[in-house]
Amino acid sequence: MSPKILIIGACGQIGSELTLNLREKYGENQVIASDIREGDETLMASGPFEILDATNTSALEDVILHYDIDQVYLMAAMLSATAEKFPMKGWQLNMNTLFNVLNLAKDQKIKQIFWPSSIAVFGPSTPKENTPQQTIMEPSTVYGISKQTGERWCEYYHKRYGVDVRSIRYPGLISYKTQPGGGTTDYAIEIFHEALKHKKYTCFLKENTALPMMYMDDAIKATIQIMSAPIEQIKIRSSYNLSAISLTPKKLSEAIKKHLPEFEIDYKPDFRQAIADSWPASIDDSPAKQDWNWKHQFDLEQITEKMIEGLTPKVSIDYDY
């Protein structure tokens, strides 16, 4: 029997695509989308939707009980660059929503949780190349601190209360379907919009800043895959490393130039450079491969083709960054 699913933060960069994929897999009425605001027409027309502030414990519990929810995907978060501007808001949103969901699972009002972590849990003292699953973690951003703390609480609730919580550490995610969400890796989306509209882009990171990246379709696949895996296959209850490709702005711009030879890029690093410098350049995700058979599909050339193909019909629209 298909699970009854609640997605919190369904209008966000990941949540919007995850909602549509889960509805395709399980049926539109099995997946309840929710957010603090309504989403785009495609999302709103695809199935049930609730306006929900997940920091409001009683409102969250009401929705879960009303729809008899089995699984919660907690996708609401304030991302790295935005959280540096509003530290306490970022901390409170990222932590309070997690505790609300963990406590509902502890009280057996939901059966399973997906909570996303991030490469932001790592810090300047972490080995930058092929960063292992278990290593030094001294994050230097509000977002990273909240995600590292969340990982510890997820593992605690699993060990102490038997909560079936599952998590992956997302790298930077690239998609043409939604706008950038306030993250440090957003350049890898903005660059395509600007290349198609203006044939030039000013990047907020240095040209050789290497960061782990992934096409959104791979991230969605991994999210659904880990939640569908038999419980005995999930050996790590903090969060799994997840990897696809390692990318620099220079490497990405060169891939774009193969399709748009007139494209030009220049560089004006801002405060996000320090955030990027604190993160890994590449990730070892062998535990995810071993435990639940993770394997990415999209390489740089495929990502570039997909982004240009997907964004070309939209180039006449004025994007608000």
Side-chain angles (χ1 to χ4, degrees), residues 70-234:
D70 301 306
Q71 297 180 352
V72 170
Y73 288 72
L74 176 52
M75 311 310 292
M78 188 177 290
L79 301 184
S80 57
T82 308
E84 289 305 292
K85 298 176 183 177
F86 308 103
M88 291 315 298
K89 285 185 179 179
W91 172 260
Q92 289 165 1
L93 172 64
N94 295 352
M95 297 311 302
N96 291 351
T97 53
L98 176 59
F99 275 120
N100 284 346
V101 173
L102 286 172
N103 284 324
L104 286 164
K106 181 192 74 168
D107 295 339
Q108 299 184 339
K109 291 173 181 173
I110 48 178
K111 297 174 182 176
Q112 198 177 31
I113 298 167
F114 177 82
W115 175 79
S117 190
S118 164
I119 58 170
V121 297
F122 303 116
S125 56
T126 300
K128 286 189 77 68
E129 301 293 338
N130 214 27
T131 301
Q133 174 68 43
Q134 293 181 306
T135 186
I136 298 167
M137 297 167 69
E138 295 180 325
S140 56
T141 64
V142 174
Y143 182 62
I145 292 166
S146 71
K147 288 299 185 183
Q148 187 200 29
T149 306
E151 286 190 12
R152 307 276 29 96
W153 280 113
C154 286
E155 187 168 66
Y156 178 85
Y157 269 71
H158 174 71
K159 289 183 175 178
R160 180 74 174 81
Y161 305 114
V163 170
D164 184 3
V165 58
R166 307 179 182 202
S167 179
I168 50 184
R169 293 169 181 155
Y170 287 125
L173 300 179
I174 303 175
S175 171
Y176 67 85
K177 295 179 182 177
T178 52
Q179 293 294 327
T184 300
T185 55
D186 279 355
Y187 86 85
I189 302 174
E190 292 178 1
I191 192 172
F192 286 100
H193 289 263
E194 294 300 310
L196 287 164
K197 285 187 70 181
H198 303 300
K199 313 301 182 190
K200 61 182 180 179
Y201 177 60
T202 299
C203 186
F204 55 75
L205 298 181
K206 296 176 183 176
E207 64 178 0
N208 291 317
T209 304
L211 290 170
M213 295 283 189
M214 177 177 288
Y215 190 54
M216 182 66 79
D217 286 16
D218 273 337
I220 299 298
K221 181 180 78 169
T223 304
I224 295 174
Q225 188 176 340
I226 192 173
M227 285 294 278
S228 303
I231 195 166
E232 63 272 11
Q233 289 184 5
I234 309 303

